[in-house]
Amino acid sequence: LQEGIGMVENKRQQQLLRTEFEYLKREGDSRDMPFLYGDAGLTENLHLISFLRRPDIDGFVLCTLSSVAFNVTWDPYSRAPTMTDIDDTVTAYFGIDIDKAGSTYDYSRNHVFETSQFNEFVIALQNATRGGKGMVVQMELNVVDNSHWGVQGGRKVNVTWLYLGRAFEWESQLPEDVRAEASVPSKNPQDLPGKKSKFPAFPNFPTAMLRYSPAQANLLSDLAGWIVKENREKFCRTLGC
């Protein structure tokens, strides 16, 4: 349990985040061992590993909402990813750890997909972005053994993966006043509305953002729903609709 909990080392952070709690020990346990609680995002955000621990599940849908806008200009065959190219939780699933040493979260044990398939996955995401209907990729991925999480490798799973980002066709259909606030003219998904906009950084809102205005929540919901509908065939292959 202790290995699965992210550590917040700074005392001031502990006080601000209120991460210090008293807890009940098991009956007969005489040990008095302080440790820090944290949410699941400190080790694994999507609960993908929970799916993979069940060998009878051979297909599922994943959705990544990240503050890291996806980089379509990066060539995965020429260099490794960085924290500004793609969300670090995604790379970790392919055994590529891009986090800085000493981070308060740890994704280094989350390798569950064959690393050799990562470049193909990235190119598929880039092509989907350029298509204008959202970043939705459907791939058959090879599962590798992960003894830490109890995942059995040597099998394949069908994954439909949505990485939420700009969808250019959706933007073109917005009312002019909304489009002026929620998008920018360029076709680069890393170009996002600025701080003076009603929707700064839309749709790649910071994941620590816990309060949305009604307009922000409705716009994000509309984008996500539109992407699912436009990619209905891919989702239905997995969900059986």
Side-chain angles (χ1 to χ4, degrees), residues 14-225:
Q14 294 175 20
Q15 294 170 345
L16 290 174
L17 298 175
R18 297 181 181 178
T19 54
E20 295 182 335
F21 301 93
E22 291 186 2
Y23 67 98
L24 294 176
K25 292 182 290 187
R26 292 179 300 177
E27 184 177 356
D29 189 348
S30 60
R31 295 175 300 171
D32 188 8
M33 183 174 63
F35 60 89
L36 298 178
Y37 289 90
D39 70 17
L42 296 171
T43 54
E44 206 255 329
N45 256 328
L46 303 184
H47 296 287
L48 162 62
I49 289 171
S50 298
F51 283 128
L52 294 178
R53 283 172 56 89
R54 296 163 171 81
D56 55 321
I57 298 179
D58 58 8
F60 42 81
V61 172
L62 296 175
C63 299
T64 294
L65 171 60
S66 174
S67 58
V68 181
F70 183 64
N71 185 0
V72 294
T73 64
W74 152 54
D75 179 4
Y77 289 97
S78 65
R79 67 168 175 83
T82 68
M83 293 284 286
T84 61
D85 294 320
I86 189 172
D87 190 86
D88 55 349
T89 62
V90 177
T91 65
Y93 292 131
F94 290 88
I96 303 170
D97 186 6
I98 61 176
D99 293 321
K100 294 180 180 179
S103 173
T104 55
Y105 44 86
D106 181 10
Y107 303 139
S108 64
R109 299 182 177 94
N110 293 356
H111 185 191
V112 289
F113 293 135
E114 199 170 278
T115 305
S116 62
Q117 293 185 289
F118 178 72
N119 291 349
E120 180 186 355
F121 173 76
V122 169
I123 296 299
L125 275 179
Q126 292 177 336
N127 290 337
T129 305
R130 296 186 184 101
K133 295 185 177 182
M135 284 178 274
V136 179
V137 170
Q138 192 164 59
M139 279 186 66
E140 185 177 68
L141 295 174
N142 301 324
V143 181
V144 299
D145 289 323
N146 185 311
S147 59
H148 180 78
W149 293 117
V151 173
Q152 178 184 346
R155 57 196 170 100
K156 300 178 184 294
V157 290
N158 293 300
V159 181
T160 302
W161 206 317
L162 190 165
Y163 191 111
L164 197 63
R166 292 181 61 189
F168 305 127
E169 284 195 24
W170 176 82
E171 292 177 359
S172 70
Q173 298 173 30
L174 292 173
E176 185 175 345
D177 59 330
V178 178
R179 185 168 63 250
E181 292 282 352
S183 67
V184 295
S186 85
K187 297 299 182 183
N188 184 339
Q190 291 197 311
D191 292 337
L192 304 174
K195 293 181 180 180
K196 294 182 179 180
S197 164
K198 294 179 181 178
F199 310 99
F202 179 84
N204 296 102
F205 291 141
T207 53
M209 180 176 166
L210 302 181
R211 292 188 178 183
Y212 293 82
S213 69
Q216 290 172 329
N218 288 336
L219 198 65
L220 195 64
S221 173
D222 190 86
L223 169 62

